[in-house]
Amino acid sequence: MGAAAPARRRRTLLGPETYELVFGTVYTGLMTNLLLVVACLPLVALVAATRVSSTWPLVALAAPLLGPALAAAFAVFAAFSADGSTTVVRTFARAWRRHLRRGLAIGALATAVVVVLAVDVLFFWGRTAGAAVIPVLVTLAAGAVVTAVLALAAVPETGDARLRDVLLAALVLGARRWYVSAGVLAVLGLLVSVVVVRPAVGLGFAAAPLLFAVWGACRFALRPSPRV
C-alpha cells in the first residue's frame, strides 16, 4: 500500500492536463518563433544573407517591422498566461493587424533614434571628447530600445490610448524601474547574440522563451506605482 501511493501521485502528476500544458507550451513557443520570422522576413533575410556593416541602411529600413511583430508576440504571451490559450496564429494575426500602425510607428521612432546615436558614436570615436560623450550616447540608445519594448508590451493592453501617452509612460516607468530595464536589455542582448552566432537556434528555439522573459519583466515595470 505504501508503494501504491507514490505511484498514484506519479500518475496524477503525469495526467492529461500535464501533457496538455507541456505540448501547449512547446507549440506556443515554436509557432510564435515561426510567426515572428514571417512577420520580419525582410529583416531576417537581410541579417542572414548580407553583411550588416555594408547593408545597414536597408536593415534600418526593415527594422520597424519588429514593432508590430513584438506587439503581436506579447499579445500571444498574454493570452497564454491568462487562460492557457494556444490559438497562436489567430491571436498573433489579430494583434498584428490591430497594432500594425502603432507598432510600426514605435519601431520607426526607436530605429531612427538608435541610428542617429550610432552615427554620433562613430563620429566621436577616437576623439578626445569621445570619452565623455560616447557613454551618454550609448545610454540614450539603450533607453530608446527599452522605452520602445516597454511601449510595445503596453500597446496590446492600452486599447485606444494615444501613442504619445504610451511612450511617455514607458519612458517614465522604464527610468523609474531602471533595474528591470537593465534586465530587459540583458535578455535582449542575449537573444541578439544567439541569433548572430546561431541564427537557426536563436530564431527557431530561443526567441520565444527569451521574449517571454522580456514580456514578464515589462509587465512588472509597467505596473502603476503604489500610492503612499
Side-chain angles (χ1 to χ4, degrees):
M1 177 178 263
R8 285 195 297 270
R9 282 197 294 270
R10 285 195 296 270
R11 285 196 296 270
T12 301
L13 290 174
L14 299 177
E17 296 82 3
T18 302
Y19 286 111
E20 183 177 352
L21 176 62
V22 170
F23 285 114
T25 302
V26 172
Y27 169 76
T28 299
L30 294 178
M31 185 55 67
T32 300
N33 289 339
L34 176 61
L35 293 172
L36 283 169
V37 171
V38 172
C40 302
L41 193 56
L43 177 61
V44 173
L46 284 170
V47 173
T50 67
R51 294 183 60 182
V52 176
S53 59
S54 302
T55 60
W56 68 265
L58 294 177
V59 172
L61 287 175
L65 293 174
L66 283 169
L70 287 178
F74 292 155
V76 170
F77 298 152
F80 181 77
S81 298
D83 55 15
S85 173
T86 56
T87 57
V88 182
V89 177
R90 183 189 308 169
T91 302
F92 189 99
R94 185 181 302 168
W96 187 89
R97 288 194 303 268
R98 180 179 180 186
H99 306 301
L100 176 61
R101 292 181 61 184
R102 290 202 290 179
L104 285 174
I106 294 171
L109 181 60
T111 300
V113 172
V114 170
V115 167
V116 170
L117 292 172
V119 171
D120 290 341
V121 168
L122 291 176
F123 174 80
F124 284 103
W125 193 268
R127 298 174 183 262
T128 304
V133 175
I134 290 177
V136 176
L137 296 175
V138 172
T139 301
L140 291 175
V145 172
V146 170
T147 300
V149 174
L150 286 170
L152 291 169
V155 159
E157 302 181 13
T158 53
D160 297 325
R162 292 185 302 178
L163 181 59
R164 181 180 63 183
D165 296 335
V166 174
L167 288 170
L168 180 59
L171 176 62
V172 172
L173 292 174
R176 183 175 299 169
R177 297 185 170 122
W178 57 268
Y179 48 93
V180 180
S181 299
V184 168
L185 282 174
V187 177
L188 289 175
L190 176 61
L191 175 57
V192 170
S193 65
V194 173
V195 170
V196 170
V197 176
R198 293 286 188 273
V201 174
L203 297 174
F205 299 98
L210 291 178
L211 288 176
F212 186 86
V214 168
W215 170 77
C218 290
R219 288 284 297 270
F220 177 82
L222 291 169
R223 292 189 309 174
S225 300
R227 294 182 178 180
V228 180

